[in-house]
Amino acid sequence: MRIRPYAALARRAARANLARLDFPYKLTFAITYWCNYRCTTCNIWKMKPRDELSLEEIRRFFERSNRFVWVDVTGGEVSLRKDFPDICQAVIENNENLLLLHYPTNGYLTDQVVRYTREIARMGPEKLIITVSTDGDEAVNDALRGVPGGWRRQIETFRRLREIPGVDVVLGMTLSQQNVDHFPKAFAAARREIPDLAYRDFHVNIVHEGLLLHNADLSLRASVTPDALARASESYARLRGFGLHPVNFLERAYLKRVRRYLETGRTPMRCHALRSSCFVDSWGNVFPCTIYENKIGSLREHDFDLAAIWQSEKTAKLQREIWGGQCPQCWTPCEAYQSILGNLIRPS
């Protein structure tokens, strides 16, 4: 274990409790909107995008913007990019204080995901965490995700990723109207295939509508009651239990505030979008987060220098508005975790 990345995260998260950072320590980066699934909670699969950032452009970005401690690489399905390991190499090699590299996968292309992950693990990131999506038992998952046979492949991908040294892997389940009370059956089905599976091998969150998923037209939240989502989240939190590990701390802090968010419609603590973090889409457009469709700049128009966009008055003004609650309001883990770390002094 290298101490320096942990110290970098602690230092910058502590500073974010007091003031806006001069550069984000966390980045969520969508490298593609191509996807081979047809999920009913997401419209990414309908996009069929063109002119996404090339590998050379991504390398240029991380050469010029290289002070990240935490990077979430997302999509679409990340493994559909044949240069995915090269993209991760650009992240790892250029960010000397990188503590955590995370990416999700739908898990369908098992051999490809495993092969790419082995390559990435050999690059030596301090922490490599992968989320394999699964939204129920076999019948519910495949109906929700729109691909017959998907669940079997997802479970096999999870099983094989667990065998790679230096890789932490979880099963990610998003609660929506179609599966809100389904976690016990989903867990039981997965455990029949993987007998040593534990509750903490799951990551459970609630459905959102917004920029990343391009799903605002689906009215997902209108079809499920806030109380049902809150009860399901709290039930999972009890099963997960307590723990001193930092990941468990963040998961519990997220889950314990789900009800407050759902009942009030307000983010339960001041949001750290544009204070500690930002979102970049697959064309290099910079946004506050994965929910708020308010573009603040283009990497292609700023020679891939994120600092130039981050330090602009436009960005600072928007951050103040977000800090004051003038944004769509969400409680998605992509944005909640850095907010939790940035509100340790004043958590409510």
Side-chain angles (χ1 to χ4, degrees), residues 197-213:
L197 194 72
Y199 291 119
R200 293 183 189 178
D201 290 322
F202 268 79
H203 159 76
V204 174
N205 63 88
I206 59 173
V207 69
H208 275 78
E209 299 160 359
L211 171 63
L212 176 61
L213 300 179

Side-chain angles (χ1 to χ4, degrees), residues 310-342:
W310 181 266
Q311 294 168 7
S312 72
E313 178 52 37
K314 176 182 178 181
T315 302
K317 180 177 182 294
L318 183 56
Q319 188 274 322
R320 291 191 295 268
E321 293 173 2
I322 294 169
W323 193 245
Q326 300 174 53
C327 64
Q329 302 294 296
C330 76
W331 193 235
T332 175
C334 290
E335 314 308 329
Y337 291 156
Q338 58 270 31
S339 296
I340 292 166
L341 292 176

Side-chain angles (χ1 to χ4, degrees), residues 110 117 268:
T110 299
T117 300

Side-chain angles (χ1 to χ4, degrees), residues 32-51:
T32 184
Y33 282 104
W34 283 97
C35 189
N36 52 338
Y37 266 37
R38 302 172 66 88
C39 298
T40 59
T41 56
C42 170
N43 283 331
I44 287 177
W45 58 274
K46 299 178 181 178
M47 294 179 64
K48 312 228 179 320
R50 295 287 186 272
D51 194 32

Side-chain angles (χ1 to χ4, degrees), residues 71-291:
V71 176
D72 279 355
V73 179
T74 188
E77 171 52 36
V78 294
S79 68
L80 292 179
R81 282 198 64 145
K82 305 302 183 185
D83 54 4
F84 177 53
D86 299 307
I87 292 171
C88 291
Q89 183 176 32
V91 175
I92 295 166
E93 289 186 350
N94 286 288
N95 293 278
E96 62 178 0
N97 287 329
L98 184 72
L99 172 59
L100 173 59
L101 174 63
H102 166 264
Y103 54 87
T105 175
N106 61 37
Y108 191 78
L109 302 174
T110 299
D111 290 342
Q112 191 157 301
V113 172
V114 171
R115 183 173 70 254
Y116 286 171
T117 300
R118 289 189 184 279
E119 290 183 44
I120 295 163
R122 284 195 291 269
M123 298 171 192
E126 186 63 33
K127 294 287 292 183
L128 178 58
I129 300 180
I130 303 164
T131 301
V132 180
S133 299
T134 181
D135 286 328
D137 60 12
E138 186 168 6
V140 170
N141 177 89
D142 289 0
L144 199 154
R145 294 193 156 261
V147 176
W151 185 83
R152 290 281 167 189
R153 290 185 179 227
Q154 291 157 216
I155 293 298
E156 181 61 18
T157 299
F158 175 82
R159 187 203 317 273
R160 289 176 58 184
L161 289 175
R162 290 177 98 201
E163 299 171 354
I164 304 175
V167 173
D168 293 328
V169 56
V170 297
L171 290 166
M173 183 171 180
T174 298
L175 301 178
S176 65
Q177 186 274 334
Q178 293 140 299
N179 67 353
V180 64
D181 294 318
H182 194 67
F183 176 77
K185 290 183 179 179
F187 179 79
R191 197 170 192 177
R192 284 193 291 271
E193 304 297 322
I194 305 169
D196 64 339
L197 194 72
Y199 291 119
R200 293 183 189 178
D201 290 322
F202 268 79
H203 159 76
V204 174
N205 63 88
I206 59 173
V207 69
H208 275 78
E209 299 160 359
L211 171 63
L212 176 61
L213 300 179
H214 291 267
N215 62 350
D217 63 312
L218 298 180
S219 301
L220 298 169
R221 291 290 290 280
S223 61
V224 59
T225 67
D227 185 62
L229 283 175
R231 283 189 288 102
S233 300
E234 290 162 353
S235 175
Y236 169 68
R238 288 191 292 272
L239 292 171
R240 184 181 178 89
F242 293 90
L244 299 178
H245 192 279
V247 171
N248 200 58
F249 164 75
L250 288 173
E251 292 283 354
R252 285 194 61 81
Y254 167 77
L255 291 165
K256 73 180 289 188
R257 291 171 173 85
V258 166
R259 180 175 290 276
R260 187 191 311 172
Y261 163 68
L262 292 170
E263 290 180 346
T264 65
R266 307 291 296 175
T267 303
M269 56 177 56
R270 281 180 159 177
C271 179
H272 271 245
L274 298 186
R275 185 177 174 100
S276 301
S277 61
C278 65
F279 168 61
V280 175
D281 73 11
S282 63
W283 297 277
N285 298 311
V286 184
F287 298 87
C289 64
T290 59
I291 299 294

